[in-house]
Amino acid sequence: MLVVNHLYSLSRKTQHLAFVLDELTSRGVRVVSAADPALDTETAHGLFLVRVLSAVAEIEQTGALADRRDRRRHDQQSADESPLAG
């Protein structure tokens, strides 16, 4: 049994987390979250929750990266349009 505090301790990427979980479970290792006992790879329900939550986490991370990229682009455009620029 592998007990993690949170699933993102294993990976923040959905594909990588799925790979790690498949590798562990194929070797008979049960993965359990200490923070949320319902996230237990020994049950079909727990494995489903693990995969859904990891997908949501990756979507949130992708959105945060896009927000930062948009903010930088906006800041750059604002600086380029400034009468003090250049």
Side-chain angles (χ1 to χ4, degrees):
M1 178 187 298
L2 173 63
V3 179
V4 294
N5 202 24
H6 296 281
L7 285 180
Y8 59 77
S9 300
L10 290 175
S11 179
R12 291 183 184 266
K13 298 286 186 182
T14 303
Q15 289 179 328
H16 185 250
L17 181 60
F19 171 78
V20 169
L21 290 173
D22 288 343
E23 286 293 311
L24 290 169
T25 55
S26 71
R27 289 173 167 72
V29 177
R30 177 181 172 190
V31 182
V32 179
S33 169
D36 188 355
L39 302 175
D40 181 346
T41 60
E42 191 169 69
T43 67
H45 181 258
L47 190 54
F48 172 76
L49 287 176
V50 165
R51 299 243 167 114
V52 168
L53 290 175
S54 67
V56 169
E58 185 168 336
I59 289 169
E60 288 178 348
Q61 181 182 18
T62 302
L65 291 173
D67 289 346
R68 281 188 232 129
R69 188 174 45 248
D70 291 344
R71 194 174 317 119
R72 280 194 304 268
R73 190 174 302 131
H74 178 276
D75 292 347
Q76 182 62 41
Q77 288 173 347
S78 295
D80 291 343
E81 294 169 1
S82 171
L84 300 176

